[in-house]
Amino acid sequence: MKKNIKKLKRIYSIFSVSFVALSLFGANKIIQRLHEKDTTIVTEETAIPQRVDYKAYLQQEEDKVWQKLETINISKEAVENLKKTSYQNYLNDNSTYKDNNQPVSKEYETMVHKILREFGIDPATITLGYWDGPSEACAGDFFMKINPVLMPKVSPETQTFMIAHEVQHILNKDHSTTYFIRNLLENPVSNSELTPDHPLMHFILFAEKRADMQAAMKSPEWAKRYLCFAQEISQLGDIDPNDTAHPGTAERVKIAQALVENSKQQIV
Ligand SMILES: [Zn+2]
């Protein structure tokens, strides 16, 4: 059972690690919290059969996160302003992700570059490298790392979706947003010390949800890949029916199913 949970956590960690683990050494706590929190994502969406404006839904969710951050006097404007005036600080503080880099195989490079291009990013602007952390991949504003040991353990379709999920973090600049929010905290604790109700944790959870949904909303094919990915995680969880620690996976399948249905309606 522990092994199953461990495996599931590893797969699941892609949601958090993509940008969380970059400064994170207590990943498991975050992953657990993500999981617990994720169960609330779309419970109310699952019964919606008609076309849904998920972009508007994500915007509402983002607005809520910034309202939460306002309660500790951190505004979106302040963070955006820091990104303009102090972006070099972010680059300097994360320079190890650019400099201390080992190449990945040509196969992964080709795969990542194709997906970057599909989402409108010039691969030349992204440093791609090797990663031996607890997830299949991770990404910051200007880099992506692939774990060549863990990645082949999931299906090609799921691998593709995991990379697309990371690409959304690059597009949304989630890593630098997290960095600047943390800079504005009165007590800049690490992610592993954040309580589930901490406003920064709300941002992190939102960014993970957005990365999934944004990738899935690209096209009906991407929605199907999200479903494949979610089902793969779900199946891992189902290995042990007594494992009630990960209800989030079932919810992800529901979100993915809703997005697949939604995408069908949009092409009719
Ligand atoms: Zn992520």
Side-chain angles (χ1 to χ4, degrees), residues 139-159:
D141 289 18
F142 59 91
F143 65 89
M144 189 188 297
K145 288 185 175 287
I146 302 292
N147 186 323
V149 175
L150 298 182
M151 200 53 122
K153 294 182 178 177
V154 294
S155 68
E157 203 75 345
T158 291
Q159 290 181 28

Side-chain angles (χ1 to χ4, degrees), residues 58-75:
L58 282 174
Q59 186 59 56
Q60 286 166 12
E61 291 292 293
E62 183 179 358
D63 291 346
K64 280 188 221 165
V65 168
W66 286 109
Q67 281 164 20
K68 182 83 179 170
L69 282 157
E70 293 270 7
T71 65
I72 54 168
N73 299 316
I74 294 176
S75 68

Side-chain angles (χ1 to χ4, degrees), residues 97-143:
Y97 294 109
K98 196 173 181 67
D99 302 334
N100 181 19
N101 207 34
Q102 300 172 45
V104 292
S105 71
K106 196 73 191 167
E107 185 192 352
Y108 283 125
E109 186 183 279
T110 304
M111 187 196 284
V112 170
H113 284 185
K114 184 170 180 279
I115 297 167
L116 282 168
R117 281 194 208 93
E118 186 167 346
F119 284 91
I121 298 173
D122 178 358
T125 62
I126 303 299
T127 302
L128 180 62
Y130 167 86
W131 152 259
D132 60 1
S135 73
E136 286 75 4
C138 68
D141 289 18
F142 59 91
F143 65 89

